[in-house]
Amino acid sequence: MFTTSKFENLTLNLKFSFMKKFVLLSTLLALLASCGSKDRGELVGVKGKKWHPEKPYGMELVPGGAFIMGKSDDDLAGVNDAPTKTVTVRAFYMDETEITNSEYRQFVNWVRDSIIRTKLAILADEEGKTPTDGGIGEFAFKDADTTNMTVYEKYMLDNYSGLGETGYEGRKLNNDIDLIFDTADYPDELYTEVMDTMYLPAEESYNGQRTWDVRKFKFQYQYMDIKEAAKYRELSRSDVIIKEEIEVYPDTTVWIRDFSYSYNEPMHNDYFWHDAYGEYPVVGVNWKQAKAFCQWRTLNKNAYQKSRKRQFVNSFRLPSEAEWEYAARGGLQGATFPWGGPYTKNDRACFMANFKPLRGDYAADQALYTVEAKSFEPNDFNLYNMAGNVSEWVHSSYDPSSYEYSSTFNPTVNDEENERKVVRGGSWKDVAYFLQVSSRDYEYADSARSYIGFRTVQDYMGTEITKNAKN
């Protein structure tokens, strides 16, 4: 049995031994680290961050590969615009469903709120209001208070403030405070003045309720025309920057215009905004609005990445025609439909998609109009409704002979002067022919329909498909 003094001495010896080992280990690690940080004159490359692919939320990884594109069956319609050819596409992510009303409303609300915040900030600036004043001052530009600005932010404000068409480009909005939509809670008259400009005039109120002036929901963005830059190397960067301004609110009148002598007023009134249809595919969106959505989705995601000091992700975009058909086939070669075929029913006599069966018996497939985006069975890439429900915009322009001259490697044909854009997959109002994975159709880029929606894709960076990329 140890005495108290012996026990204390043992404890001290153990602590001293542990400290010696810890110091020795720390010194060794520091030495190794210092040796590893020196390139010793060798070509070791730039040490960057390790890239870990991350599957975007709501998307599925479509591994790249080769397939036979075009009609594998007789072209019963006699269009002859899809001769077979072997093509190869690279790996990409694709939305597992069509973009839903709820998802598109997120885009519309973001545009609306950004416009409101911009108007509030400009008026606060003109009136000399700051956050310390309360009221509209709470929505002033973040640089209204210069006390907490970084050196860089101060430099940018001093040297670039007042540039651009409005004089407010580059100034940061204050997104930290929530907008107020209840009229009873408006903080002051200036705030009320701004909000009043976003609604239809009072004399146009319906049933005593004022509604948003959705014509003001415009999304501004810019992109670089790389193809134009590749053709003319002497062009400057500013020569190939394309600026766009797009009204983003869907055209809900398509439910009336698309079908004469047909009662579809309830769909016009409720389909886009009511929560009952939140998980249904958005319609009434033209090709240009679909492209604007892709730009916003990229902007929104990379703003989050920047706030977390993470690397930016690849742009979201519309799929090419080849990518869409490759994804729709789900790895099946020569199949007629995403589930194989050649029939539209399974072995239990149930229809495999939402379309127009039996010469107009729309309800035979258990759906009158559209159905929820995650309905019926997905194909082997886990993608839902690649046939039926709504047709889908793709990035390609429609040319009956494009298969003859397009590349066999990542083929795409998009002529900016050709307003006929390809739609694929067939819809709830189409016969089975248009559900075939090889059937081609088109609509004009500025046209919206009650049976056309879209889904987006994102390029997979790298060539090796890692396990992390699927999670």
Side-chain angles (χ1 to χ4, degrees):
M1 184 175 181
F2 290 115
T3 64
T4 303
S5 59
K6 289 182 178 180
F7 181 80
E8 288 177 345
N9 289 336
L10 179 61
T11 302
L12 288 173
N13 290 334
L14 288 174
K15 286 184 177 179
F16 180 74
S17 176
F18 175 79
M19 289 299 296
K20 284 179 63 179
K21 292 180 179 179
F22 178 79
V23 171
L24 181 62
L25 180 61
S26 299
T27 304
L28 181 60
L29 289 175
L31 182 62
L32 290 174
S34 64
C35 292
S37 65
K38 305 296 183 180
D39 57 30
R40 298 185 180 184
E42 300 295 341
L43 184 65
V44 297
V46 176
K47 301 300 181 183
K49 296 179 180 179
K50 188 171 180 61
W51 172 249
H52 297 285
E54 178 185 353
K55 185 166 75 72
Y57 180 78
M59 303 187 92
E60 294 292 336
L61 179 63
V62 179
F67 75 108
I68 299 175
M69 185 177 179
K71 285 288 182 187
S72 55
D73 299 323
D74 292 335
D75 189 356
L76 299 178
V79 182
N80 298 320
D81 61 351
T84 56
K85 62 183 298 185
T86 300
V87 301
T88 304
V89 297
R90 55 175 291 164
F92 57 94
Y93 293 107
M94 176 177 261
D95 289 320
E96 62 180 1
T97 69
E98 303 112 342
I99 296 300
T100 64
N101 284 317
S102 177
E103 292 169 334
Y104 196 83
R105 281 204 303 266
Q106 183 183 351
F107 171 41
V108 172
N109 290 347
W110 185 95
V111 172
R112 178 201 65 192
D113 293 354
S114 297
I115 294 172
I116 293 175
R117 289 185 186 278
T118 302
K119 287 189 171 187
L120 289 170
I122 290 175
L123 186 56
D125 189 73
E126 292 174 347
E127 297 292 331
K129 301 292 184 180
T130 61
T132 57
D133 300 327
I136 196 176
E138 297 294 326
F139 300 90
F141 289 109
K142 279 199 167 184
D143 56 28
D145 181 7
T146 59
T147 56
N148 296 319
M149 294 178 66
T150 65
V151 174
Y152 173 77
E153 291 172 337
K154 184 69 167 59
Y155 175 85
M156 296 299 289
L157 178 64
D158 293 340
N159 290 274
Y160 294 97
S161 178
L163 299 180
E165 297 178 4
T166 67
Y168 293 98
E169 276 79 357
R171 300 188 65 178
K172 293 183 179 179
L173 299 174
N174 182 9
N175 294 307
D176 297 332
I177 183 170
D178 293 335
L179 291 173
I180 302 167
F181 295 103
D182 190 339
T183 56
D185 297 329
Y186 284 176
D188 58 19
E189 188 174 348
L190 292 174
Y191 187 96
T192 305
E193 178 183 333
V194 170
M195 293 300 290
D196 185 59
T197 64
M198 296 299 296
Y199 289 91
L200 291 171
E203 59 270 19
E204 297 183 22
S205 61
Y206 182 69
N207 285 341
Q209 183 178 5
R210 294 185 68 184
T211 56
W212 296 107
D213 186 352
V214 296
R215 294 169 297 185
K216 294 183 178 179
F217 295 178
K218 295 181 180 179
F219 178 62
Q220 297 178 342
Y221 69 94
Q222 57 186 23
Y223 64 94
M224 182 181 294
D225 189 343
I226 300 177
K227 290 185 177 180
E228 190 71 13
K231 288 191 296 185
Y232 306 102
R233 293 186 179 182
E234 68 276 9
L235 291 176
S236 66
R237 188 180 182 90
S238 60
D239 292 330
V240 292
I241 297 296
I242 310 298
K243 296 183 179 181
E244 297 280 2
E245 183 178 70
I246 304 294
E247 290 186 19
V248 301
Y249 200 85
D251 183 358
T252 58
T253 64
V254 294
W255 292 103
I256 308 299
R257 290 188 291 102
D258 286 347
F259 305 100
S260 300
Y261 310 109
S262 179
Y263 176 66
N264 296 306
E265 278 78 353
M267 300 298 283
H268 164 269
N269 295 337
D270 303 325
Y271 185 76
F272 176 64
W273 69 270
H274 200 286
D275 289 336
Y277 297 100
E279 299 307 314
Y280 286 62
V282 68
V283 297
V285 174
N286 62 40
W287 184 81
K288 296 178 180 179
Q289 290 172 318
K291 281 193 66 180
F293 177 91
C294 296
Q295 292 286 338
W296 165 79
R297 187 175 182 182
T298 304
L299 172 68
N300 190 53
K301 178 61 178 179
N302 281 333
Y304 174 82
Q305 294 292 100
K306 183 178 180 180
S307 70
R308 295 295 187 273
K309 296 183 179 180
R310 299 176 183 174
Q311 289 178 304
F312 281 7
V313 301
N314 251 338
S315 298
F316 294 93
R317 58 181 176 82
L318 294 177
S320 68
E321 194 171 5
E323 287 173 330
W324 190 95
E325 183 172 328
Y326 178 71
R329 290 182 179 277
L332 300 178
Q333 292 285 4
T336 305
F337 300 105
W339 54 86
Y343 305 109
T344 57
K345 291 183 178 181
N346 61 17
D347 55 4
R348 291 166 292 175
C350 296
F351 285 105
M352 299 290 288
N354 176 22
F355 66 112
K356 178 185 176 181
L358 308 178
R359 297 187 179 182
D361 184 358
Y362 289 90
D365 54 15
Q366 308 302 311
L368 184 58
Y369 295 100
T370 58
V371 293
E372 290 185 344
K374 192 172 282 189
S375 300
F376 298 94
E377 291 295 321
N379 70 1
D380 288 346
F381 286 154
N382 204 36
L383 304 173
Y384 290 83
N385 289 306
M386 293 301 287
N389 211 20
V390 293
S391 298
E392 299 174 13
W393 290 113
V394 299
H395 189 253
S396 307
S397 300
Y398 179 78
D399 184 333
S401 60
S402 62
Y403 282 28
E404 301 290 348
Y405 61 81
S406 63
S407 173
T408 56
F409 182 64
N410 293 328
T412 183
V413 176
N414 184 45
D415 181 1
E416 296 294 339
E417 297 181 358
N418 182 355
E419 289 293 304
R420 298 191 300 178
K421 305 302 180 182
V422 176
V423 292
R424 286 296 206 112
S427 73
W428 60 270
K429 66 91 187 170
D430 288 318
V431 295
Y433 170 81
F434 291 100
L435 270 62
Q436 296 180 14
V437 291
S438 56
S439 291
R440 306 176 69 198
D441 200 0
Y442 69 87
E443 188 53 80
Y444 287 90
D446 58 355
S447 297
R449 299 295 183 190
S450 61
Y451 45 83
I452 298 179
F454 69 101
R455 71 179 82 206
T456 67
V457 299
Q458 182 191 64
D459 291 319
Y460 177 78
M461 287 189 276
T463 56
E464 182 182 357
I465 305 299
T466 65
K467 182 179 180 181
N468 188 59
K470 299 180 180 180
N471 299 324

